[in-house]
Amino acid sequence: MRPGPQSDGRHQAAGVEISGVNLSYGANHVLKDVELNIEPGEFFAFLGPSGCGKTTLLRLIAGFNVADSGEVRIAGRDIGKLPPWKRDVGMVFQSYALWPHMSVRRNVAFGLEERRLPRAEIAARVAAVLDLVGLAAFAERKPSQLSGGQQQRVALARTIVTEPKVLLLDEPLSNLDAKMRVQVRGELHDLQRRLGITTIFVTHDQEEANAICDRIAVMSDGVIQQVGAPRDLYARPANLFVANFLGAANILPGIVTTRDGVSVFDIGGGAFLPIPEDAAIPQGASLVFRPQDACMAPAHQGEPGLDARILSHEFLGSIVRYRLRLGGADVLVDTPFHAGSEILSNGSTVAFSLMAKAGVWLEK
Amino acid sequence: MNRFAFGALLGIFAVQAALAQAPTGKVTVVTSFAKDVTDPYKKAFEKAYPGLSLEVQNRNTNAAVKFIEETKSANATDLMWASAPDAFEVLKGKGLLTKYQLKAQGIPEKVGSYPINDPGGFYFGFAASGYGIMWNERYVRANKLPDPQEWSDLSKPIYFDHVAIAAPSRSGTTHLTIETILQGEGWDKGWRTIKQIAGNLRQVTDRSFDVPEQVNSGQVGVGIVIDFFAFSAQAAGFPVKFVYPSVTTVVPANLAIIANPPNRAGAEAFVEFLLSPAGQEVLLEPSIRRLPVNPAIYAKAPADYPNPFKDPRFTKMISFSSEKSEQRTDAVDVLFDQMITFQLAGLKAATKSIQAAEAALDKKDNVQARALIAEARDAVAAMPVSDVQAGSAETRAAFTGAKEKTARQAEIEQRWSAFAKEQYAKAQAKADEALKLTR
Amino acid sequence: MSIAVTSAGVSATRAPVRVGELALGLSIAAFLLVFVAWPAVAVTYVAFTEKGTGAFTLINFQDFARTDLFVRSLWNSIYVGAATVAWASVIALPLAVLTTRFSFRGAIVIQTLGFVPLIMPPFVGAVAMQMLFGRNGTINLLLSDWFDVRIPFMEGLNGVIFVEALHYFPFILINVSASLRNIDRAMEEAAQNLGCSGFRLLRRIVLPLAAPGYMAGASLVFVKVFDDLATPLLLNVKDMLAPQAYLRITSIGIADPMGYVIAVVLVVMSVASMGLAALATRGVDYATVQRGGGGIARRSLRPAESFAAYLVVGFILLLVLAPHIGLLLLSFATVWSFSPLPDALTTAHYVRVFSESGVYIKNTILYASLAGLIDVVVGTAIAWLVLRTKLSFRHWLDWGATAALAFPGVVIGIGYLRAFYDVRLFGGAPLATLWIMIVLAVAVRRLPYALRASHAALLQISRSLEEAAENLGATRQRAVRRIVLPLMTGGILAGFVTSFATAAVELSATLLLVQSNSDAPLAYGVYVFMQSPAGRGAGAALGVVTVIIVCACALLAQFGIERSQNAKGALQ
């Protein structure tokens, strides 16, 4: 018998440790020296563009891929050699993979049946989980008779009913429409908090990851670029890829020079940006900052700043995003929009300034 | 069915048979005969021998021979029961038959000119059949054909494309007919006759019963068949007629005990029953209509029943040499196939041209054309081998799985068929030329 | 045989080869070796031996190439095969398109009856065809009465093509229909959106997308025609390969290897044509990878179109069911000779066969069901190994099973006797005399049908459905049993029906292996009755009984398929 899941309602949260994992498909090196430590009970995300290896890593944890080297440990136990069905790792598939020939109830009961639980307990737990996801009324339906959101919830219910040590979600929101996505991700977050289950979430949508995850591993090209809380990643990206992938960023190449005895960052075209005193700027680095971390004011108001000219603007509802010509570079600047705010016209000149500690310098 | 139990049962029966006088158990017979024949026999036999039951396995003759050969290591068959004598010759040659001394009385040595029983005592004729011509009345009327009477009629132009025959390589009885013609008329003249008839063929079927079938359904007008096919078709109401030509062949239908029969006593009982007056009488049933080999039985037959022991048409036939026939069996079959069955299109084209030229010649005579037509006929009739060659040891060896390295059958076949093809083309060219001359 | 995948911990990851897969693969390989390769080799090795010495040689194949008759036969067979594929396509494609593209009430009739031509007992079907289309068949007698012309439907190679096309077109119909149903509607809509419609749409988008199904069906037709000997023999066409092989192998006393040489050539040609078809469709199997297919859009027909559609369908059905109509007439006919219709009707033939048909029917259902069962089990297992594992020899299993299709039945029959007669059971009864050997001989020749059907069905089941089950704690074995097999039910049943129906009318292998009347199936009974010189009525009656029983079983299975399709719902 496989180790049965605890049925006391609360999970014994398990951590996931991945060390030195490499995986190649022929000449294609898909995962490169992956090291990760996911805390028990954490809501963790693998974030990256398609083809970055995030789903491969997830399937590796589930047992559908086998690493060429390295270890995967759950709650301290190496599971690398276990078959998928002995890992006690729940996975929600991108396509949901609901079995079309079974009713919702049979789908959800499947994992419990495989664990040879008593029939009464299966019925009770299935009913409970269907209640939890709000699908009690749909138990006898076939998956084809449900909407996308409902199917997604069945897939989730089917997985969590077995109370796995770790929950894996493979782009679970990608098949939903925009509004549904926001709603369901909220529900996911609440559910995860309630169950306290260690959850790994694969997505290519940084907003999704930011919204619900405790920590994120940003991946690119089979390499984990940075791991951290969403705000840290956003504010302090470790490299240009991370900076760029997590929302709009201004990336200004330049050189450090001294002007009037003060170190400044020369971005060309006669534009010099101040450098914080404690900053150690590597040679050949670029200045990176978010559009909302810069300020601009009409030139005639006499605010201090660098001269810049508005090239174009986009109205995005709560903000207006301007594209400015600043020296030799183009820069995005967001300004909040309130009822009654004015939008500056293209071609007008503004004073540009960067908030203190807003920028980071990153090597290419 | 549980073979184990079956085997055990057979064993028990064998013991019982040894103890008791009357044979008991199951007698297994492999046969090519239709249910029409086997059913009345089964009924009569089981009535005469209450302890025995007859198990009939229906296979075509070739499959039956192959089956007996492949299963000899644990033979479960008691008897082989079929028409074609050559099939029995093959079995005998491979040592798959049991010699048996017949007890039945009143069976003469020969029917017509053909010996009834194997001189070696391995197989026995139990019925005779005469070969003849069967035709479909509706077909003949619709196509305005005269009723055929003689073999030679079938080579007349009016029957072009209306005649069917079974391939001698596939039908032992047809083979016997061909062989009879060859022995009666001599090798070259015999083949000339055969090819003249063959030029009118619509079909060379690969099963004996396809010929009566085609005539019955009216797909072909005239067929060369064994008498009982026609008789039972008539009994079933088909609009067909049958005639024995003034010279006919008689072919016996045979029976043999397989080597190592599981129920020897039962097998012998069946042989004796078939040749007893009671067994012979069964042949007179309308669905069977074969000719008994016991002449006394004809006293009980209907008035118009043909009697090969008295009818002059059956006794006219020249004496038949089984030895000669045996020597060249394969050669004759292969010659027929390579020159006629597989070259039918060429042969028919040549025949058609010759017939057209002759028709034209009848209207307007032309010496040169006449000579050309004679040449064309000779070309058609030409044979790649003489009868001596056909019966020679080398030729025989090519057709048997000889132990030595000999010429391969395929080589000889290709030679013969190429020869026939060339001759037919030549004949057609000459006939066409003759036709032009008569214009 | 069960899908024996062990869950042994050692090899339990999705590593290249696992113990369970290996065991399954090896047991299937053993099955194919024992029941296909060994009997076939036991018979055909003669083709490679030198006469007299028995040494290995290829001289016999040189003889083959040097003999006009064989070379002509080879080309004739290729020509007939190709032309039959063309004509079968002419019949099958309109039917397939009509039934899948239009909401058309005739569709269900076609789907049901389109299958029937495959079910034709030996001999009688061809006889019935002659009664209708022969030189003096119904049609030609009427034509010559009215217009004084005859149409040579059944003459020569073209006659063979005519009969074979009517007989085998369902293979194309079934496969193309399945492909069309799996095409993503969006494919078609995208083309329409870009301005393509009508016949251009059909030609440029729909048919290319159905190409894999078409190729699968067409290659089956080609191979079957290549291998068929009954039709050419009946039509008196002997210069084709299969009849040549048959005539040589079954003639008494002929100890010539050429029959087996031809059998080897037949097998090679068949496997090559299947391989070519597979090669042609490699990488173009688009239809099955689309998600949310739901089939191409169905349109309703305008009254005039509907009328035309019914006319086309009616004509084609009349044509393809002609053998069955003829058979029915024949079975009730007293005398039918040189007349458009029988002289009178009678039920006497049915009365005659009635008392004896019980044991034949029982045996047929038993044998054909078992054969179908063996086929779907082995076929599904092979399909699974090919599509879901990385077993090194998995494609050999596929090819091996496919090659069985090409062995003439008589080769398999003799091969079984030769290979298994000396294998003794307890008590000394030879293995070859067990009735189960008939079942196996019949089953192996139909394995490819079930294999193709299972393969297609498995292709359409998303891998993630299996993975989800494994993820939830089901071993691979249990995932296959609980998820994959139920979802494949439709395809498996389709394979079963094809195997069952064609097995029920198999004769050539059966004829050699039947040991007693009590072990005999219907086809053998038909053969026995057909031999009667007193007409074909009784054989035809038993033939009709065969067709009805096989159709009933097939319909039952069809009903099952539909239920399982409904159960599956539209999620696929």
Side-chain angles (χ1 to χ4, degrees):
Chain A
M1 232 15 247
R2 61 183 65 75
Q6 305 84 346
S7 46
D8 56 8
R10 277 295 290 189
H11 290 262
Q12 202 66 43
V16 179
E17 295 155 59
I18 299 168
S19 52
V21 163
N22 277 283
L23 174 60
S24 301
Y25 293 134
N28 188 6
H29 202 164
V30 186
L31 294 175
K32 298 170 190 160
D33 293 324
V34 173
E35 300 277 348
L36 259 185
N37 220 328
I38 298 166
E39 298 298 326
E42 198 172 20
F43 202 143
F44 197 90
F46 295 165
L47 177 66
S50 51
C52 72
K54 57 189 191 298
T55 297
T56 307
L57 184 56
L58 193 77
R59 289 170 57 83
L60 191 125
I61 298 171
F64 298 124
N65 290 331
V66 178
D68 301 335
S69 64
E71 278 190 353
V72 178
R73 280 187 299 277
I74 292 181
R77 181 174 167 222
D78 185 2
I79 58 160
K81 295 276 186 285
L82 288 181
W85 50 91
K86 288 194 169 172
R87 293 195 171 198
D88 209 12
V89 165
M91 179 157 170
V92 174
F93 289 78
Q94 182 176 12
S95 62
Y96 311 144
L98 297 182
W99 302 304
H101 60 304
M102 296 180 179
S103 65
V104 168
R105 185 189 302 285
R106 298 277 328 277
N107 261 283
V108 174
F110 185 94
L112 301 177
E113 288 165 4
E114 287 302 321
R115 285 167 172 74
R116 308 281 200 281
L117 294 186
R119 217 179 271 181
E121 188 185 342
I122 294 178
R125 283 172 67 173
V126 169
V129 80
L130 286 179
D131 256 347
L132 186 69
V133 297
L135 284 174
F138 298 90
E140 302 313 324
R141 294 229 187 144
K142 287 280 163 65
S144 55
Q145 296 166 302
L146 300 177
S147 71
Q150 289 167 331
Q151 290 182 3
Q152 204 271 344
R153 278 185 278 164
V154 175
L156 188 63
R158 183 175 74 176
T159 308
I160 60 177
V161 75
T162 64
E163 300 178 354
K165 292 200 194 88
V166 177
L167 179 62
L168 308 177
L169 306 172
D170 186 7
E171 308 228 9
L173 307 176
S174 61
N175 284 335
L176 302 175
D177 63 43
K179 213 167 171 187
M180 245 348 239
R181 217 174 286 168
V182 174
Q183 185 197 326
V184 172
R185 84 184 183 207
E187 290 172 8
L188 267 180
H189 185 254
D190 292 350
L191 198 68
Q192 196 269 341
R193 282 287 169 265
R194 225 178 322 158
L195 298 173
I197 183 172
T198 311
T199 302
I200 304 173
F201 180 90
V202 160
T203 182
H204 61 269
D205 183 335
Q206 45 93 16
E207 185 188 319
E208 233 168 67
N210 288 341
I212 56 175
C213 293
D214 299 325
R215 282 200 302 152
I216 296 172
V218 180
M219 295 182 68
S220 166
D221 213 10
V223 174
I224 294 195
Q225 305 287 341
Q226 190 176 5
V227 180
R231 59 178 181 282
D232 294 339
L233 297 182
Y234 191 78
R236 299 279 163 224
N239 56 37
L240 288 182
F241 176 83
V242 175
N244 226 346
F245 195 75
L246 293 175
N250 289 301
I251 298 169
L252 305 180
I255 48 167
V256 179
T257 58
T258 310
R259 198 159 179 263
D260 305 334
V262 184
S263 282
V264 290
F265 194 64
D266 178 3
I267 60 169
F272 303 94
L273 294 167
I275 294 174
E277 280 161 23
D278 52 350
I281 300 165
Q283 201 56 40
S286 296
L287 171 61
V288 177
F289 62 93
R290 303 287 171 194
Q292 69 270 28
D293 293 342
C295 292
M296 55 176 266
H300 56 82
Q301 287 177 358
E303 299 272 337
L306 301 167
D307 281 353
R309 191 163 48 84
I310 297 176
L311 296 175
S312 64
H313 66 271
E314 284 177 326
F315 175 66
L316 297 173
S318 58
I319 56 164
V320 181
R321 175 166 294 171
Y322 293 94
R323 176 178 293 274
L324 308 181
R325 188 72 190 172
L326 175 66
D330 286 359
V331 182
L332 299 177
V333 178
D334 290 353
T335 59
F337 181 79
H338 312 286
S341 309
E342 242 181 89
I343 296 177
L344 301 174
S345 55
N346 294 350
S348 51
T349 311
V350 292
F352 169 90
S353 58
L354 196 59
M355 288 181 198
K357 303 219 167 184
V360 291
W361 275 266
L362 298 175
E363 284 177 87
K364 271 192 192 135
Chain B
M1 145 147 221
N2 186 333
R3 282 282 148 188
F4 171 61
F6 173 49
L9 273 178
L10 273 186
I12 292 163
F13 283 133
V15 173
Q16 281 181 348
L19 295 176
Q21 276 306 312
T24 53
K26 181 152 104 174
V27 180
T28 306
V29 50
V30 172
T31 180
S32 67
F33 293 132
K35 285 183 91 64
D36 300 329
V37 177
T38 58
D39 277 358
Y41 266 108
K42 182 175 161 67
K43 219 193 287 169
F45 176 64
E46 286 174 359
K47 202 172 148 207
Y49 292 82
L52 286 170
S53 72
L54 191 69
E55 165 77 33
V56 176
Q57 290 182 20
N58 204 297
R59 295 174 206 283
N60 66 45
T61 309
N62 310 318
V65 171
K66 282 263 196 277
F67 178 81
I68 291 166
E69 202 182 327
E70 297 288 350
T71 62
K72 66 182 171 201
S73 56
N75 178 44
T77 313
D78 292 306
L79 295 147
M80 164 82 173
W81 191 23
S83 289
D86 53 342
F88 289 88
E89 276 301 320
V90 168
L91 289 175
K92 178 179 150 189
K94 297 190 173 179
L96 295 171
L97 300 182
T98 301
K99 199 169 175 169
Y100 175 64
Q101 184 56 52
L102 208 59
K103 296 187 191 78
Q105 299 296 311
I107 314 281
E109 201 175 304
K110 281 186 171 183
V111 56
S113 53
Y114 202 89
I116 292 177
N117 295 329
D118 170 38
F122 283 95
Y123 58 95
F124 317 98
F126 77 99
S129 300
Y131 243 77
I133 304 167
M134 170 185 180
W135 68 93
N136 184 313
E137 284 192 282
R138 294 181 192 170
Y139 182 107
V140 163
R141 218 179 311 134
N143 287 284
K144 302 188 179 66
L145 304 180
D147 286 357
Q149 296 299 330
E150 294 294 336
W151 298 122
S152 57
D153 288 348
L154 297 183
S155 58
K156 288 179 181 164
I158 193 162
Y159 290 106
F160 185 79
D161 210 24
H162 290 306
V163 186
I165 191 172
S169 59
R170 312 282 305 163
S171 155
T173 47
T174 311
H175 171 84
L176 220 50
T177 308
I178 297 293
E179 181 62 40
T180 311
I181 294 175
L182 291 179
Q183 290 201 15
E185 302 194 0
W187 181 260
D188 286 317
K189 184 151 181 294
W191 276 112
R192 181 181 284 261
T193 310
I194 291 164
K195 284 185 185 172
Q196 273 175 3
I197 297 175
N200 281 341
L201 286 178
R202 164 85 187 155
Q203 270 195 21
V204 182
T205 71
D206 60 288
R207 283 186 303 251
S208 324
F209 71 85
D210 272 346
V211 177
E213 152 64 27
Q214 296 290 319
V215 176
N216 280 347
S217 67
Q219 300 303 318
V220 170
V222 183
I224 298 169
V225 300
I226 316 185
D227 49 10
F228 64 82
F229 277 135
F231 296 146
S232 45
Q234 279 173 337
F238 282 96
V240 293
K241 284 205 162 169
F242 177 82
V243 66
Y244 291 112
S246 57
V247 176
T248 182
T249 56
V250 176
V251 285
N254 299 290
L255 178 73
I257 301 175
I258 305 299
N260 303 318
N263 187 355
R264 184 168 186 143
E268 289 173 1
F270 189 68
V271 172
E272 291 298 340
F273 174 74
L274 234 60
L275 294 167
S276 70
Q280 288 284 296
E281 223 173 291
V282 178
L283 292 168
L284 302 179
E285 287 206 12
S287 73
I288 302 180
R289 290 273 295 193
R290 299 199 183 206
L291 311 178
V293 291
N294 185 341
I297 304 299
Y298 289 89
K300 295 174 187 162
D304 60 339
Y305 212 85
N307 182 343
F309 296 100
K310 294 208 175 121
D311 193 317
R313 287 175 300 195
F314 292 90
T315 47
K316 241 183 192 172
M317 202 66 203
I318 38 74
S319 66
F320 182 90
S321 158
S322 304
E323 194 194 346
K324 206 171 189 179
S325 162
E326 218 181 297
Q327 277 179 352
R328 62 191 192 197
T329 303
D330 292 327
V332 167
D333 284 348
V334 169
L335 277 168
F336 191 96
D337 275 347
Q338 295 302 327
M339 295 191 309
I340 296 169
T341 313
F342 301 140
Q343 296 289 349
L344 197 55
L347 174 58
K348 281 174 78 170
T351 306
K352 195 169 186 181
S353 292
I354 292 171
Q355 289 175 350
E358 280 179 336
L361 202 65
D362 283 347
K363 289 190 198 113
K364 185 180 158 204
D365 202 1
N366 179 312
V367 182
Q368 209 183 337
R370 187 178 296 277
L372 276 169
I373 290 170
E375 279 176 41
R377 285 228 175 262
D378 290 343
V380 168
M383 291 301 294
V385 283
S386 70
D387 58 342
V388 180
Q389 285 169 311
S392 71
E394 300 100 274
T395 313
R396 269 217 312 282
F399 293 118
T400 50
K403 296 282 171 284
E404 318 84 57
K405 234 171 110 173
T406 56
R408 295 182 303 282
Q409 182 172 344
E411 290 175 300
I412 292 184
E413 286 181 349
Q414 169 61 16
R415 211 151 61 218
W416 291 353
S417 90
F419 175 85
K421 191 175 168 187
E422 193 195 321
Q423 292 295 319
Y424 296 156
K426 202 161 89 187
Q428 190 180 356
K430 284 190 191 297
D432 287 344
E433 205 184 326
L435 184 64
K436 266 186 221 138
L437 287 173
T438 57
R439 288 238 169 85
Chain C
M1 194 182 305
S2 68
I3 312 284
V5 177
T6 65
S7 54
V10 241
S11 62
T13 51
R14 206 167 280 261
V17 172
R18 309 181 338 156
V19 172
E21 289 165 6
L22 195 65
L24 179 65
L26 287 178
S27 49
I28 289 176
F31 175 85
L32 293 177
L33 281 177
V34 172
F35 294 111
V36 182
W38 183 27
V41 169
V43 174
T44 50
Y45 80 94
V46 183
F48 298 96
T49 54
E50 191 181 43
K51 191 175 175 185
T53 64
F56 175 84
T57 177
L58 290 176
I59 186 87
N60 297 321
F61 289 87
Q62 280 176 31
D63 278 346
F64 179 92
R66 275 196 292 245
T67 303
D68 294 344
L69 179 64
F70 298 147
V71 174
R72 189 171 80 210
S73 299
L74 176 64
W75 286 115
N76 283 348
S77 283
I78 293 173
Y79 164 70
V80 167
T84 303
V85 168
W87 281 105
S89 308
V90 168
I91 300 172
L93 290 182
L95 289 182
V97 171
L98 265 176
T99 51
T100 47
R101 272 181 74 82
F102 301 105
S103 36
F104 169 53
R105 222 173 309 162
I108 190 79
V109 181
I110 296 168
Q111 276 162 9
T112 316
L113 294 183
F115 187 78
V116 176
L118 284 180
I119 308 165
M120 188 37 100
F123 303 112
V124 279
V127 172
M129 279 295 273
Q130 273 212 326
M131 297 311 297
L132 294 177
F133 295 105
R135 184 168 66 149
N136 295 316
T138 307
I139 306 272
N140 273 326
L141 284 179
L142 294 178
L143 282 178
S144 67
D145 260 14
W146 297 338
F147 310 111
D148 204 27
V149 289
R150 278 169 209 264
I151 301 173
F153 296 107
M154 308 265 286
E155 310 282 317
L157 294 181
N158 292 332
V160 179
I161 294 166
F162 173 68
V163 177
E164 302 273 27
L166 291 188
H167 186 46
Y168 286 121
F169 83 91
F171 282 130
I172 295 181
L173 175 64
I174 292 167
N175 281 292
V176 172
S177 300
S179 279
L180 286 176
R181 277 191 217 105
N182 286 324
I183 294 176
D184 189 341
R185 184 169 308 193
M187 300 281 160
E188 199 187 4
E189 288 167 353
Q192 286 173 323
N193 176 259
L194 294 171
C196 185
S197 68
F199 268 107
R200 281 178 60 79
L201 176 67
L202 195 67
R203 188 170 60 78
R204 296 192 58 191
I205 306 295
V206 176
L207 292 183
L209 286 176
Y214 175 75
M215 287 305 288
S219 58
L220 261 186
V221 171
F222 184 85
V223 170
K224 287 308 290 177
V225 171
F226 213 79
D227 166 49
D228 185 28
L229 49 94
T231 306
L233 282 182
L234 179 99
L235 298 183
N236 200 26
V237 172
K238 294 187 177 67
D239 41 5
M240 285 175 64
L241 276 191
Q244 280 294 330
Y246 172 79
L247 290 177
R248 291 189 158 257
I249 291 170
T250 58
S251 284
I252 318 167
I254 289 190
D256 189 43
M258 289 318 285
Y260 304 109
V261 171
I262 301 171
V264 171
V265 173
L266 277 175
V267 172
V268 170
M269 287 294 298
S270 302
V271 173
S273 63
M274 295 291 245
L276 268 180
L279 214 63
T281 51
R282 174 170 294 174
V284 291
D285 210 350
Y286 343 86
T288 50
V289 296
Q290 294 302 324
R291 268 199 304 146
I296 50 176
R298 282 174 190 263
R299 266 169 215 84
S300 43
L301 291 165
R302 286 194 291 273
E305 290 174 335
S306 182
F307 179 74
Y310 271 107
L311 217 60
V312 170
V313 167
F315 175 73
I316 293 180
L317 280 184
L318 200 66
L319 201 60
V320 301
L321 293 182
H324 295 78
I325 297 167
L327 185 65
L328 196 66
L329 278 174
L330 203 58
S331 73
F332 281 111
T334 50
V335 165
W336 190 2
S337 172
F338 205 80
S339 57
L341 288 174
D343 295 2
L345 299 180
T346 172
T347 55
H349 304 309
Y350 285 91
V351 174
R352 180 157 177 232
V353 299
F354 182 76
S355 60
E356 302 193 35
S357 52
V359 62
Y360 294 144
I361 292 172
K362 192 199 86 201
N363 287 336
T364 300
I365 293 180
L366 178 68
Y367 296 174
S369 308
L370 279 177
L373 206 66
I374 292 172
D375 286 346
V376 295
V377 169
V378 178
T380 306
I382 294 177
W384 189 80
L385 287 172
V386 167
L387 290 176
R388 291 290 200 257
T389 72
K390 304 243 178 297
L391 221 54
S392 55
F393 57 93
R394 62 195 195 279
H395 290 296
W396 284 100
L397 299 179
D398 194 349
W399 295 329
T402 304
L405 188 70
F407 285 108
V410 62
V411 169
I412 291 281
I414 295 175
Y416 268 50
L417 279 181
R418 197 163 287 177
F420 302 120
Y421 204 82
D422 285 331
V423 180
R424 294 297 149 77
L425 302 174
F426 311 104
L431 183 61
T433 59
L434 291 186
W435 59 259
I436 192 72
M437 300 315 280
I438 303 176
V439 174
L440 282 166
V442 167
V444 294
R445 295 187 64 221
R446 276 148 192 83
L447 196 49
Y449 302 156
L451 173 57
R452 289 292 139 243
S454 298
H455 190 268
L458 190 55
L459 262 182
Q460 290 178 32
I461 297 173
S462 163
R463 188 73 182 252
S464 64
L465 294 177
E466 238 174 307
E467 290 177 347
E470 289 175 27
N471 177 257
L472 288 173
T475 59
R476 285 193 99 183
Q477 183 185 354
R478 298 219 6 116
V480 166
R481 217 189 70 210
R482 294 196 62 189
I483 307 300
V484 179
L485 290 182
L487 287 174
M488 284 175 73
T489 312
I492 290 177
L493 265 175
F496 178 82
V497 169
T498 318
S499 289
F500 172 89
T502 53
V505 293
E506 154 95 31
L507 181 73
S508 45
T510 317
L511 201 56
L512 272 160
L513 292 171
V514 166
Q515 300 286 315
S516 74
N517 222 22
S518 56
D519 283 350
L522 271 170
Y524 174 85
V526 171
Y527 168 76
V528 172
F529 276 111
M530 282 304 280
Q531 273 201 310
S532 160
R536 303 286 165 258
L542 201 55
V544 170
V545 171
T546 310
V547 173
I548 288 173
I549 285 171
V550 175
C551 284
C553 293
L555 280 180
L556 218 64
Q558 174 98 20
F559 179 68
I561 294 174
E562 260 152 38
R563 273 190 37 184
S564 96
Q565 298 285 3
N566 290 343
K568 251 206 282 187
L571 191 72
Q572 284 278 287

